[in-house]
Amino acid sequence: MTILCVRFQLPSMHEAALPQLLALLEEFTPVIEALPPDGALLDLRGAERYFGRGAVEFASLIRVRALALHGIDCVIGAGPGPMLARMALRDAAPGVTRVVPEEPDAVAEFLAERPVAALPGVGGATARTLCEYGLDIIGKVAAAPLSTLQRLTGARTGRELHERASGIDRGRVVPNATSRSLATERPFSHDELDPSPHRRALLSAAEELGTRLRALEKVCRTLTLTVRYADRSTTTRSRTLKEPTAHSSTLTDTAYRMYEALGLQRARVRAIALRAEGLTPAEQASYQLTFDPVDEKVRRIEEVADRARAKFGPHVIGPGALAA
């Protein structure tokens, strides 16, 4: 057992705590891949040999230290590779590490009855294609001839699908810094036709992204809007900002313009997501000088609102349109 996938149970909009938690993990291994907003992958092959401990023992230590030092619980999945560790995490619960054994028979048993959509890299369209031919669970995909999968999904996709369904995990943990993007999603309780809730969702998402960016002392260069519909199809649009920013008002205006450009006419929307991309440190960003007193007033209000949120919680202050 060599790979752990850890997800910290962070309070809402507290991604700024992730670097501190990653520093805790570095006490066990330097091979860590951050999975913002709240997770990480750890390669423990060297640590197991050095400390003489197994992955499950490391998981217990990580959980205890995260609780003791930061007051944050976590869920952990363990497996012989990154793919299996991620899948094990979905079955994990606080206080219990979900383990996928290394033996091929155990891996096959773990995968066999899971829906094909549970495999990493299998999207909605691929899953529907496979299900149309009766390949609705991973065990059936693993038993299918490679030539059949390649005929249905393409040569490369079919080969990767066959390997993953057979438990062959060629992934590796790639050490990185914290995320160069932030994302948030606003699902609706039902398929929403009215544009007004769409705009409120955009406002809420942009406010959250702005708050998180400022907490991390980052600015973003690009904003991406994704709209998911009732039939599970999606539309994605990206827009490069005139200058890097973390200001909620700018993010909101950009999100509104992208939404309006879609020209949705009574579309049945299931969820709206925003992603801030191309993150850079705020101190390294350049800005166009402005003498607009309104702009300066908005920035000062944001600073006051951020201090209030940091002291009293993320929902203590916000736009009036979201008060309900």
Side-chain angles (χ1 to χ4, degrees):
M1 198 62 54
T2 57
I3 307 297
L4 291 186
C5 187
V6 181
R7 186 177 71 240
F8 296 102
Q9 297 184 311
L10 298 177
S12 176
M13 296 194 301
H14 277 65
E15 187 173 343
L18 184 58
Q20 298 177 0
L21 295 166
L22 293 178
L24 181 152
L25 300 179
E26 288 173 353
E27 298 177 10
F28 302 96
T29 174
V31 188
I32 298 173
E33 180 177 346
L35 302 175
D38 56 4
L41 280 171
L42 293 79
D43 189 332
L44 296 174
R45 284 176 293 184
E48 286 177 326
R49 291 192 297 268
Y50 184 82
F51 292 104
R53 295 178 181 271
V56 176
E57 294 176 283
F58 280 116
S60 299
L61 287 171
I62 290 169
R63 185 177 292 109
V64 169
R65 292 191 183 184
L67 279 170
L69 298 177
H70 301 281
I72 294 173
D73 202 356
C74 59
V75 291
I76 302 176
M83 179 192 77
L84 293 167
R86 287 173 183 257
M87 295 181 72
L89 179 69
R90 299 172 190 172
D91 296 343
V96 179
T97 302
R98 179 65 169 95
V99 178
V100 180
E102 296 183 19
E103 293 74 18
D105 290 344
V107 172
E109 182 181 355
F110 172 77
L111 294 173
E113 297 300 322
R114 295 174 182 273
V116 68
L119 274 180
V122 177
T126 302
R128 286 193 295 272
T129 298
L130 294 171
C131 289
E132 288 174 359
Y133 288 87
L135 303 175
D136 56 340
I137 59 175
I138 297 176
K140 293 181 180 179
V141 175
L146 174 59
S147 58
T148 299
L149 296 176
Q150 290 180 320
R151 192 162 53 250
L152 293 176
T153 63
R156 179 178 177 180
T157 302
R159 183 176 63 255
E160 293 176 349
L161 186 62
H162 189 266
E163 288 184 349
R164 291 170 181 168
S166 302
I168 300 173
D169 190 351
R170 299 188 185 278
R172 62 189 184 92
V173 179
V174 181
N176 63 354
T178 52
S179 177
R180 290 181 58 83
S181 69
L182 294 177
T184 186
E185 184 176 18
R186 293 295 183 272
F188 297 108
S189 58
H190 58 275
D191 297 335
E192 185 59 67
L193 297 167
D194 188 352
S196 296
H198 300 170
R199 292 178 65 87
R200 285 197 296 272
L202 289 170
L203 174 60
S204 173
E207 283 286 327
E208 179 184 332
L209 284 182
T211 301
R212 291 165 63 186
L213 285 168
R214 294 190 295 274
L216 292 168
E217 297 183 352
K218 301 279 189 180
V219 292
C220 74
R221 185 62 178 167
T222 303
L223 191 65
T224 297
L225 166 67
T226 300
V227 180
R228 189 167 76 249
Y229 305 104
D231 62 358
R232 299 185 181 180
S233 64
T234 61
T235 299
T236 301
R237 294 290 184 271
S238 294
R239 183 163 297 186
T240 300
L241 304 171
K242 292 182 178 179
E243 63 181 24
T245 188
H247 295 298
S248 299
S249 58
T250 303
L251 297 174
T252 301
D253 291 342
T254 303
Y256 282 165
R257 289 198 298 272
M258 285 192 291
Y259 171 80
E260 291 164 0
L262 293 177
L264 301 180
Q265 304 262 336
R266 300 286 291 173
R268 297 169 59 202
V269 175
R270 183 165 295 179
I272 289 177
L274 283 181
R275 177 178 291 276
E277 300 177 319
L279 305 192
T280 56
E283 60 184 15
Q284 298 178 8
S286 58
Y287 304 98
Q288 177 67 43
L289 292 176
T290 176
F291 297 99
D292 184 358
V294 175
D295 183 68
E296 292 299 320
K297 182 178 180 180
V298 170
R299 293 170 185 257
R300 289 197 297 270
I301 291 173
E302 275 187 347
E303 293 175 0
V304 174
D306 288 342
R307 290 198 293 269
R309 293 188 185 102
K311 186 173 183 179
F312 300 107
H315 303 297
V316 70
I317 189 170
L322 303 177

